[in-house]
Amino acid sequence: MTTTTESLSAAPTLPPVTLRIGAESRTTGAGTHEHIDPATGKVDALVPLAGVSDVDDAVQAAHAAFAVWRATPAGTRAKCLLKLAQLVEEHSEDFATLGIADNGTARGTLYATVTAAAEWIRYYGGWADKLPLGRITSVVGAGGSFGHTLRQPYGVIGTIITWNAPLMSLAMKVPAALAAGNAVVVKPSELTPFTAMLFAGPAREAGIPDGVFNVLSGGPEAGAALVEHPLVKKVTFTGGPETAKKIAASCAKTFKPLLLELGGKSANLVFADADLDQAAMHAAYMAFGVMSGQACALPTRLLVEESVYEEFAAKVAAIAGYFKVGNPQEIDTICVPVINDAAIARIEGMVSRAKNDGARLLCGGERLGGELAEGFFYPPTVFADVAPESELAQKEVFGPVLAITPFVDEAEAIALANGTDYGLSGYVWTSDSRRSIRLAEALETGDVAVNGAQNAVAERPFGGIGHSGTGNEGGLEGLEEFFWTRVCRLRQRLEVTMGAFRHAY
Ligand code: NAD
């Protein structure tokens, strides 16, 4: 492992955070949050927190704008979204700068994220004027009637996202909602207010009317108020399962529909017949190089066939040792700080309990000190011999800690992989194509990637089951989340007879 602090103190001056409500940029809310730079541990901005009245104003603005946006010709909505995709790409430096400020994501990761976000926006811009709106459902002889479905936007979508990947979360939710004709109020995490605020600029420049896209920096209170607001007709949430339970309980009061993208403890199954060099590089990079383990769908459990177990575990730990940990501003940094002190405390607790549970530490395992001591830096940490029922095998760490467990055969690998409450992603490494198909079917996850295939691609649905959530983002499925379906029944003949009623009911 190499480390660096070069120019850690030379952070750019940050723009003031404002609440974007309709055409207004509001500078104050009901409170203030001290934003901390995870690389230095220092307060670098004061963020206004939306209060209940700000939430109401934003929802009212969105509700008024919904009428306009819904009546906007589909071709115009498509053009706005396609323009937005282009503008996001043109602002890639701004998204990189404020993305680093938000949560310490590595600059290299952010450039890739901007490209991916633009692809998601463009994908749903493409759908906006080709919406699968309705179909004839029946032709009934007796009453001479037929029906057709109407697929309509809900209205205002309450959009609550977490802090680890704000640009991707926006791109996975907002364009689909807007393509379907809804308006949105986004509440990013109070920890990461900058990216969503920046997104509002290109959205307006792209011609999306004021009020269709609103942003409220705010904490749990603002989130709860948004979920409860009667004019919010659907909620889409990305975050942790415990918060999701509270949101689900609130939605249950009025049967408000809810899309949940939650956590994961995804298994990566490596068979002895796989390309082990490729598989080891992938395992190490995915566990440590993507936001230092702070992403939902990462393969954080590595299950390895017994015959190559020791060799493979050593290979992964050795690769992790080459990753540069340090300043997210530098293009060659791979491992970045975790989000805050609370994350460090959670990781330290889980590492200490893993040791007590008998897991074997291969590398890492202690917070980085020296020049990195002020920031929230934790090194790539690899544990072998992790017991399947132990906390480290069952619970999401959301940090750079990888759990390795051996398996003897395919049946045991499947049982271990499916043996948690989560069901977000599955990963398989094998050169046996029949086995890859068997496993793709057997793993109880929203998606399965064989031999390093990419996930979260715009045209494919992404989502989990169990504690990983419900519903989809991406693909046609992700668009359909933002419609509700009605039926319109038309009767051709005017005579109403009891017979026709008897036939119908
Ligand atoms: P969290 O659940 O604590 O917070 C997420 C958001 O919810 C924040 O904006 C927060 O302010 C808001 N919030 C908190 N309490 C609320 C309440 N009572 N009502 C309404 N809103 C409320 O987030 P976290 O647990 O720190 O986030 C990390 C989690 O997110 C991990 O579990 C991770 O796996 C998951 N995640 C999932 C995906 C996905 O697409 N599946 C993507 C990224 C992260």
Side-chain angles (χ1 to χ4, degrees):
M1 180 185 63
T2 55
T3 62
T4 179
T5 54
E6 202 179 308
S7 63
L8 264 180
S9 54
T13 309
L14 298 173
V17 173
T18 57
L19 315 178
R20 302 296 173 104
I21 300 173
E24 188 190 346
S25 283
R26 200 170 283 181
T27 52
T28 55
T32 310
H33 171 76
E34 289 189 337
H35 182 272
I36 294 176
D37 176 352
T40 62
K42 295 197 169 55
V43 175
D44 59 1
L46 291 180
V47 177
L49 294 177
V52 173
S53 67
D54 301 306
V55 172
D56 183 51
D57 290 347
V59 175
Q60 298 288 354
H63 181 65
F66 168 57
V68 176
W69 185 241
R70 179 188 197 180
T72 298
T76 307
R77 292 207 299 255
K79 267 192 205 154
C80 291
L81 287 167
L82 296 174
K83 180 76 181 165
L84 175 60
Q86 180 198 328
L87 290 170
V88 165
E89 283 173 328
E90 286 174 14
H91 284 83
S92 64
E93 278 305 325
D94 299 330
F95 279 109
T97 301
L98 291 189
I100 294 169
D102 257 335
N103 59 12
T105 303
R107 184 169 282 278
T109 305
L110 283 164
Y111 289 139
T113 304
V114 168
T115 304
E119 278 167 12
W120 277 73
I121 301 166
R122 203 168 277 125
Y123 174 79
Y124 283 112
W127 270 119
D129 58 358
K130 302 170 198 67
L131 298 176
L133 281 177
R135 64 196 158 89
I136 302 293
T137 55
S138 58
V139 177
V140 181
S145 74
F146 71 93
H148 67 92
T149 57
L150 294 172
R151 304 177 88 197
Q152 297 191 184
Y154 283 94
V156 181
I157 306 293
T159 304
I160 299 176
I161 59 177
T162 189
W163 50 265
N164 72 325
L167 181 57
M168 262 332 273
S169 290
L170 288 170
M172 292 170 82
K173 293 178 186 296
V174 173
L178 298 191
N182 301 279
V184 296
V185 176
V186 177
K187 195 207 77 64
S189 166
E190 63 277 29
L191 304 178
T192 51
F194 296 108
T195 299
M197 186 187 69
L198 175 62
F199 198 86
R204 176 182 280 177
E205 208 185 319
I208 294 170
D210 287 332
V212 172
F213 178 78
N214 306 275
V215 184
L216 298 169
S217 61
E221 302 75 21
L226 183 60
V227 170
E228 284 210 357
H229 200 293
L231 287 177
V232 168
K233 298 300 180 189
K234 178 159 184 171
V235 173
T236 172
F237 171 73
T238 295
E242 292 312 313
T243 307
K245 284 180 198 169
K246 291 182 197 157
I247 291 177
S250 173
C251 285
K253 285 188 244 166
T254 53
F255 304 109
K256 197 173 281 188
L258 177 59
L259 166 61
L260 295 173
E261 292 292 352
L262 311 179
K265 191 77 197 180
S266 300
N268 186 4
L269 283 59
V270 177
F271 289 85
D273 62 6
D275 178 332
L276 296 181
D277 288 336
Q278 287 277 328
M281 184 59 83
H282 174 269
Y285 184 77
M286 293 292 277
F288 309 119
V290 183
M291 281 297 293
S292 286
Q294 302 171 109
C296 53
L298 299 178
T300 51
R301 279 187 300 150
L302 183 55
L303 308 179
V304 185
E305 192 163 1
E306 218 173 21
S307 59
V308 294
Y309 177 71
E310 287 298 341
E311 172 202 349
F312 193 79
K315 218 183 258 276
V316 171
I319 294 169
Y322 284 108
F323 289 165
K324 181 173 136 184
V325 182
N327 188 348
Q329 303 278 1
E330 291 168 12
I331 199 73
D332 58 342
T333 291
I334 295 191
C335 299
V336 292
V338 295
I339 187 72
N340 54 21
D341 248 337
I344 288 280
R346 184 186 64 245
I347 294 165
E348 285 177 335
M350 291 185 79
V351 163
S352 149
R353 291 189 291 277
K355 289 176 185 164
N356 291 340
D357 287 342
R360 176 162 50 106
L361 185 64
L362 298 187
C363 68
E366 242 172 77
R367 181 181 184 164
L368 293 171
E371 291 171 318
L372 297 179
E374 300 297 310
F376 309 122
F377 290 95
Y378 205 89
T381 296
V382 178
F383 277 103
D385 307 345
V386 175
E389 67 284 358
S390 67
E391 181 191 48
L392 192 59
Q394 292 292 323
K395 299 283 175 222
E396 194 179 30
V397 180
F398 228 56
V401 183
L402 178 64
I404 314 186
T405 304
F407 64 82
V408 287
D409 57 19
E410 199 175 302
E412 190 187 15
I414 293 168
L416 290 173
N418 290 341
T420 73
D421 292 333
Y422 296 102
L424 195 50
S425 292
Y427 300 81
V428 176
W429 285 85
T430 179
S431 57
D432 179 341
S433 56
R434 288 187 187 184
R435 171 159 38 217
S436 68
I437 292 168
R438 280 197 302 276
L439 283 159
E441 286 179 358
L443 296 183
E444 291 160 4
T445 52
D447 65 62
V448 176
V450 178
N451 294 334
Q454 201 187 339
N455 66 3
V457 177
E459 64 266 26
R460 299 181 204 144
F462 171 78
I465 54 167
H467 286 206
S468 294
T470 172
N472 285 115
E473 288 167 351
L476 185 53
E477 291 81 353
L479 184 68
E480 287 177 335
E481 294 282 353
F482 295 107
F483 289 122
W484 67 291
T485 303
R486 304 167 55 212
V487 172
C488 180
R489 291 172 292 162
L490 301 169
R491 185 165 58 81
Q492 293 301 297
R493 288 201 301 271
L494 286 179
E495 320 86 65
V496 178
T497 65
M498 287 311 289
F501 279 112
R502 272 190 213 109
H503 180 86
Y505 301 103

